[in-house]
Amino acid sequence: MFYIIFLRELDDCADNRQAARFNQMLNAWDNIKANSPENQLGRNLWNVFDVFNLSFYEMNQMIAGQKADLYGVKIKDMNDLKHYSYQVAGTVGQLIMPILTNHDVSGIYSHINNIGIAMQITNIIRDVKEDALAGRLYLPQKLMETFHVERKDLIRDHASDNLKSLLKYLADYANNLYSDKKVVLKSIDNRNAKVAVGLAVDGYHKILTNIIKQKYDV
């Protein structure tokens, strides 16, 4: 549980732009990597990484994504969007899956990552107006140019046809990635863990399905 809390708090610090607290957590993470944690939470986290042989690389990537978010990530194209989504969402799946199963999941990291990207893109589509009002922009700049969408279009009461077309493009991309759920669930032996992961993925997929039914008027 403390492991999930640590990941959650990093994300919250980035979302709420709490730079001081975020940097405190980065210092704690540096101490954990050096096997010199300063408190019980740090010692517990180090034990989790040690027992389950988790990757420092994935955690570093996740932190890099949260740091970019904290200071205003700039997404130019789909490659940037996929990379950002991998950092803030795909990595979390890769850090959690080895705890949920005895199988070696390194061979399905691409499928785990795809689910994370699909869930993050769902978030971006759902929150496009809320993010814009908060000064955040996660839509790729090149897509906005292609579909003739301007930032002022993101804060209107109803989505324009151009914005709907852009969001449909992203939704179609995410929908294809959700199909990787079967591969991910198949690798989990524990029934409770399988159900929990399945519910999490299905919940996000349902959000996207409802947005599609509403014709992308987010």
Side-chain angles (χ1 to χ4, degrees):
M1 181 61 70
F2 44 81
Y3 177 56
I4 303 300
I5 290 173
F6 188 81
L7 298 180
R8 179 74 262 170
E9 189 167 352
L10 277 170
D11 185 46
D12 287 344
C13 287
D15 286 344
N16 298 321
R17 297 180 175 173
Q18 298 172 333
R21 176 57 181 158
F22 186 86
N23 289 327
Q24 285 178 355
M25 297 188 72
L26 290 192
N27 290 334
W29 171 240
D30 287 338
N31 290 330
I32 291 167
K33 288 191 293 183
N35 193 13
S36 58
E38 296 179 338
N39 53 37
Q40 188 59 49
L41 174 61
R43 288 188 286 274
N44 289 340
L45 283 170
W46 189 91
N47 286 334
V48 170
F49 274 81
D50 183 47
V51 170
F52 293 101
N53 195 28
L54 300 180
S55 169
F56 284 170
Y57 174 81
E58 297 299 336
M59 188 68 164
N60 288 334
Q61 286 294 306
M62 193 272 278
I63 289 173
Q66 302 293 359
K67 190 172 184 178
D69 210 1
L70 176 65
Y71 294 108
V73 63
K74 291 180 175 58
I75 299 176
K76 297 178 183 178
D77 52 29
M78 281 299 294
N79 285 332
D80 281 352
L81 178 61
K82 287 186 287 185
H83 183 65
Y84 166 75
S85 297
Y86 150 71
Q87 285 186 319
V88 299
T91 55
V92 177
Q94 292 179 17
L95 287 165
I96 291 176
M97 281 293 291
I99 299 175
L100 300 181
T101 179
N102 292 321
H103 291 295
D104 178 8
V105 294
S106 59
I108 64 165
Y109 271 179
S110 62
H111 299 282
I112 297 170
N113 185 41
N114 283 344
I115 291 297
I117 292 174
M119 294 170 78
Q120 186 62 30
I121 290 177
T122 299
N123 267 342
I124 290 170
I125 295 172
R126 179 195 63 195
D127 298 338
V128 63
K129 181 177 180 179
E130 179 182 340
D131 286 332
L133 289 172
R136 298 178 183 274
L137 178 63
Y138 298 102
L139 301 179
Q141 185 60 42
K142 286 191 176 180
L143 278 188
M144 291 181 67
E145 293 171 0
T146 298
F147 289 96
H148 305 290
V149 173
E150 299 181 21
R151 294 191 71 145
K152 65 182 181 182
D153 298 325
L154 308 181
I155 59 174
R156 293 178 175 173
D157 289 338
H158 296 283
S160 66
D161 289 341
N162 289 349
L163 178 57
K164 289 179 181 180
S165 296
L166 189 161
L167 298 182
K168 181 181 184 303
Y169 178 91
L170 291 178
D172 288 345
Y173 184 84
N175 253 331
N176 288 331
L177 298 184
Y178 275 116
S179 62
D180 284 30
K181 182 188 76 170
K182 292 181 180 179
V183 176
V184 174
L185 293 183
K186 188 176 181 181
S187 70
I188 304 176
D189 291 325
N190 182 277
R191 183 180 181 278
N192 289 336
K194 189 189 292 282
V195 169
V197 172
L199 285 172
V201 177
D202 288 345
Y204 269 82
H205 200 183
K206 183 65 174 178
I207 291 171
L208 186 63
T209 300
N210 286 338
I211 289 172
I212 294 170
K213 288 179 179 178
Q214 294 169 8
K215 302 185 184 301
Y216 307 97
D217 191 3
V218 293

